[in-house]
Amino acid sequence: MLLKSHAMQASFAHLIKLYTTIISVMVVLATTVFITVSIRAYDADLEQAENTAIVQVGQMLNQNQQIAAQFATQMTSSSSNLPSIEKYFDSSITDYSNYAIDKSISGSPYFFWPTESRQFFTQHDQVTQLTLRLLSQNKVFVATQANPGGALYPAKDVKQRFAINAPLINQTSLETDGVLSISFDQSEIKRQLSQVNATQPLQVVVR
């Protein structure tokens, strides 16, 4: 009788150990599955956030590049525009104003460079700075939201960050006569990126 009781106790103890082992294995497997799923979900969320940021930055850059290219094309659409801008660089504002009026009277479309710059800022309030460099000039034209009509400055004194450039192509010679550089307000893209539901801080670098 004692032998039978001892055997039952040993069998019960064995079942307890087996049950404990099974439970432990199940816990380990469940934990492993949970961790794997969590990692995959984390990676998927991060990849989606990165893709969203890339798309938003790409759209912003394409739009800004189009704005710069269109304005550069507009500036050179008439063969008399670039000579007029050259005259602005070489003359006082009074002499240049008289020049623009005289050209208009003689039949050329009226073109007054400071007015063109002001209109550009009015049409594009996201532009923060416009810089115009002519290859034949030592000075640089700079306009900002605070001074949309712009002014001329020594090239060494002009600084501009994160600008999109567009060449000024002479319609007669098909050569590059200058470079138009435009800086845009970054707050909108920063706002868009802040709304991206990333699982960790996301940094976008534009090269």
Side-chain angles (χ1 to χ4, degrees), residues 19-199:
Y19 177 77
T20 302
T21 301
I22 292 173
I23 292 298
S24 299
V25 171
M26 291 178 64
V27 170
V28 171
L29 288 176
T31 302
T32 302
V33 170
F34 175 77
I35 292 174
T36 301
V37 171
S38 298
I39 291 175
R40 289 180 179 177
Y42 173 87
D43 291 342
D45 289 344
L46 184 58
E47 182 179 1
Q48 182 179 2
E50 290 174 345
N51 290 337
T52 300
I54 290 171
V55 169
Q56 290 178 338
V57 171
Q59 290 175 342
M60 179 201 70
L61 291 178
N62 287 336
Q63 180 182 5
N64 293 349
Q65 186 65 61
Q66 288 179 2
I67 291 173
Q70 288 172 358
F71 190 47
T73 300
Q74 176 184 329
M75 290 170 60
T76 58
S77 59
S78 173
S79 59
S80 61
N81 287 356
L82 279 177
S84 178
I85 295 175
E86 289 268 8
K87 188 69 175 178
Y88 168 82
F89 274 75
D90 294 331
S91 308
S92 67
I93 195 65
T94 301
D95 290 343
Y96 177 64
S97 178
N98 292 332
Y99 167 86
I101 293 173
D102 290 342
K103 294 293 289 185
S104 177
I105 293 174
S106 66
S108 297
Y110 180 75
F111 183 92
F112 188 71
W113 171 238
T115 299
E116 298 294 323
S117 178
R118 289 190 189 96
Q119 290 178 347
F120 179 75
F121 275 91
T122 300
Q123 296 167 357
H124 303 92
D125 57 3
Q126 74 273 38
V127 172
T128 58
Q129 182 175 333
L130 181 154
T131 300
L132 176 61
R133 292 176 171 84
L134 296 182
L135 300 183
S136 60
Q137 300 290 335
N138 294 323
K139 290 189 176 181
V140 177
F141 174 84
V142 178
T144 62
Q145 285 288 349
N147 181 23
L152 296 174
Y153 299 89
K156 62 182 179 62
D157 295 336
V158 176
K159 301 184 185 303
Q160 188 173 18
R161 298 181 60 191
F162 308 119
I164 291 181
N165 300 321
L168 297 180
I169 305 299
N170 189 307
Q171 298 301 311
T172 302
S173 65
L174 298 182
E175 295 182 351
T176 300
D177 282 358
V179 178
L180 177 71
S181 301
I182 300 177
S183 296
F184 294 84
D185 184 11
Q186 303 295 312
S187 60
E188 176 59 22
I189 189 62
K190 290 179 181 178
R191 184 191 66 79
Q192 293 178 2
L193 293 178
S194 68
Q195 295 178 352
V196 176
N197 187 24
T199 52

